[in-house]
Amino acid sequence: MLFTAHALNSATGDLHRFLTAYLDQQRSLLASTGPDHALALELISDDGLRDRLAAAHRQTLAL
């Protein structure tokens, strides 16, 4: 989703419409992942990796 949001900035026409629809679809799917994502993060022992994954999830939720 982060890559798609970035690509959307330079897309036009049919591609822009497609990427916009894709992001809308993915937003609804991502919305329900909060509890599962938090549980999954608890299983990651590497602090740096856990922090990066949590940050990516927060960024994606903010799209």
Side-chain angles (χ1 to χ4, degrees):
M1 286 180 66
L2 294 173
F3 174 78
T4 301
H6 179 72
L8 191 59
N9 292 328
S10 60
T12 59
D14 288 341
L15 179 58
H16 190 273
R17 285 186 289 280
F18 173 81
L19 293 177
T20 299
Y22 173 80
L23 279 178
D24 288 344
Q25 177 188 46
Q26 294 303 306
R27 277 187 197 101
S28 66
L29 295 172
L30 184 68
S32 65
T33 66
D36 292 332
H37 193 266
L39 289 172
L41 289 177
E42 291 177 13
L43 300 174
I44 299 172
S45 60
D46 183 285
D47 292 339
L49 177 59
R50 187 175 52 252
D51 291 345
R52 286 189 299 277
L53 291 171
H57 191 252
R58 282 190 306 274
Q59 282 181 293
T60 306
L61 287 170
L63 290 176

